[in-house]
Amino acid sequence: MKEYFTIGEVSKLFKVKIATLRYYDEIGLLRPEFIDKKTNYRYYSTQQFERLNSIKYLRALDLPISEIIDFFNYREVDTLIEMLKKQETEVAKKKRELEIIETKISRRLLQIQDAISTPLDKISEVKLPEMRVAYLRQEYVIGDDIEIPITELRNSFGINGEIFLGKIGLSISSSNLMANKFDKYSSVFMVLEEGDQIESSSVVIPEREYLRIRFKGTHMEAAKYYKKLLSYMKEHQYELIDDSIEITLIDYGITNDKEKYVTELLLPYARS
């Protein structure tokens, strides 16, 4: 039976890159049984196979190299148990994070599909559940660079890149809406989703009824659609009860084709 194997043979047997085996040698994690002084070839014995299997197992658990070295230097059952328990906790944490990301992706897909399939330029009466939002009260005039208030919103609430997948929206104050002033926004906000954590407190918009219209374009074309909603509200003797909610469902973050942009306007109302 063959007793010694070259680094290339070990690489093929265990599906470990030669560069990785050399690295393990350099840091003292897995040194070859001996090195031929004439050829400088590394040779491994079958007795080292168990150690390499253990290394592969521990690396598959995503344990840091430093902890694996410590384990082999002070090999004890209790040490391994402690390492595995620690890693179990880390895996559970990552699993929760991935579940949140999966939920966000699924929700985003549904939102995009809904935006694509919903008829445009049609007013509908909808009842929406409560929304948790991060608000930045700041006047924004049409034509200003919207990325500036969005960045300020992100910095003010400590919103990190991982959760910055929520829908970004703008609001026109109810007083400006009633005065037919549609060129000034009173705030920028982000709709927070389950699992989103922010440093500052958020605002909860209660469950309520809205007049909704979706149209092709961005907030630059929103004025005439606000007028349509207000006319509908007056015709049905509804009362505007709060600021508007304006969200671009499909924009430059999703497509380069401006003809596919979709914006949603929501006006909260009460029946007289």
Side-chain angles (χ1 to χ4, degrees):
M1 180 181 289
K2 190 171 181 177
E3 187 176 356
Y4 296 106
F5 294 77
T6 65
I7 191 170
E9 290 172 330
V10 173
S11 173
K12 290 179 180 179
L13 279 172
F14 289 89
K15 294 181 174 57
V16 177
K17 293 180 180 178
I18 290 176
T20 300
L21 292 170
R22 286 176 176 159
Y23 173 66
Y24 289 168
D25 180 13
E26 289 173 10
I27 63 175
L29 180 57
L30 180 67
R31 297 192 186 281
E33 187 72 24
F34 71 92
I35 299 176
D36 189 317
K37 293 181 180 180
K38 293 181 180 180
T39 62
N40 209 32
Y41 286 175
R42 292 171 170 83
Y43 288 91
Y44 296 82
S45 69
T46 53
Q47 294 177 351
Q48 293 176 292
F49 287 3
E50 183 181 351
R51 182 175 178 119
L52 183 53
N53 274 322
S54 297
I55 293 169
K56 287 189 64 180
Y57 168 70
L58 295 173
R59 287 299 291 148
L61 296 178
D62 207 24
L63 280 163
I65 289 290
S66 58
E67 291 188 17
I68 297 175
I69 291 174
D70 287 343
F71 167 70
F72 282 111
N73 287 340
Y74 310 100
R75 208 174 331 188
E76 291 289 345
V77 173
D78 290 344
T79 303
L80 181 59
I81 290 173
E82 184 179 341
M83 287 172 59
L84 293 179
K85 282 185 175 180
K86 179 181 177 182
Q87 203 61 17
E88 184 180 40
T89 302
E90 288 297 316
V91 169
K93 180 182 176 183
K94 289 181 180 179
K95 183 179 178 181
R96 288 193 297 271
E97 291 172 352
L98 288 172
E99 286 172 348
I100 290 172
I101 292 172
E102 182 183 25
T103 300
K104 282 179 174 291
I105 292 171
S106 297
R107 187 181 291 119
R108 191 61 173 142
L109 283 171
L110 288 173
Q111 290 167 354
I112 293 171
Q113 290 165 353
D114 181 49
I116 292 172
S117 61
T118 302
L120 302 179
D121 301 346
K122 180 181 178 182
I123 295 175
S124 56
E125 299 179 10
V126 296
K127 189 171 186 178
L128 300 179
E130 70 176 26
M131 289 183 280
R132 188 166 65 95
V133 299
Y135 258 107
L136 178 63
R137 295 288 179 182
Q138 178 176 312
E139 190 173 275
Y140 166 76
V141 179
I142 287 183
D144 290 348
D145 187 353
I146 192 174
E147 294 301 326
I148 295 175
I150 289 175
T151 300
E152 291 179 359
L153 169 70
R154 185 173 180 173
N155 292 337
S156 297
F157 285 87
I159 297 170
N160 58 48
E162 283 123 13
I163 74 164
F164 208 57
L165 295 173
K167 293 183 291 186
I168 296 295
L170 298 167
S171 290
I172 297 179
S173 68
S174 56
S175 57
N176 276 346
L177 287 169
M178 296 308 294
N180 288 317
K181 295 180 180 178
F182 310 113
D183 60 341
K184 289 184 179 180
Y185 293 85
S186 59
S187 64
V188 60
F189 62 87
M190 187 182 82
V191 180
L192 300 173
E193 300 174 341
E194 183 182 354
D196 289 345
Q197 299 295 327
I198 59 175
E199 294 175 3
S200 303
S201 59
S202 57
V203 175
V204 176
I205 300 175
E207 177 185 73
R208 57 191 180 186
E209 293 182 298
Y210 296 89
L211 293 182
R212 180 176 72 186
I213 191 168
R214 291 174 175 176
F215 62 91
K216 182 172 68 176
T218 67
H219 60 283
M220 299 294 289
E221 295 82 41
K224 67 178 181 180
Y225 296 99
Y226 276 118
K227 291 176 183 177
K228 283 185 178 183
L229 290 175
L230 290 169
S231 294
Y232 183 97
M233 187 171 289
K234 183 177 181 181
E235 180 184 342
H236 290 77
Q237 297 183 336
Y238 293 161
E239 177 188 356
L240 180 67
I241 60 172
D242 205 345
D243 299 349
S244 69
I245 294 176
E246 180 176 329
I247 297 171
T248 50
L249 302 177
I250 298 178
D251 60 7
Y252 62 88
I254 298 174
T255 177
N256 291 323
D257 187 352
K258 293 183 178 180
E259 290 297 310
K260 294 181 180 179
Y261 287 6
V262 176
T263 298
E264 175 182 80
L265 304 183
L266 295 167
L267 292 187
Y269 72 93
R271 301 173 190 273
S272 301

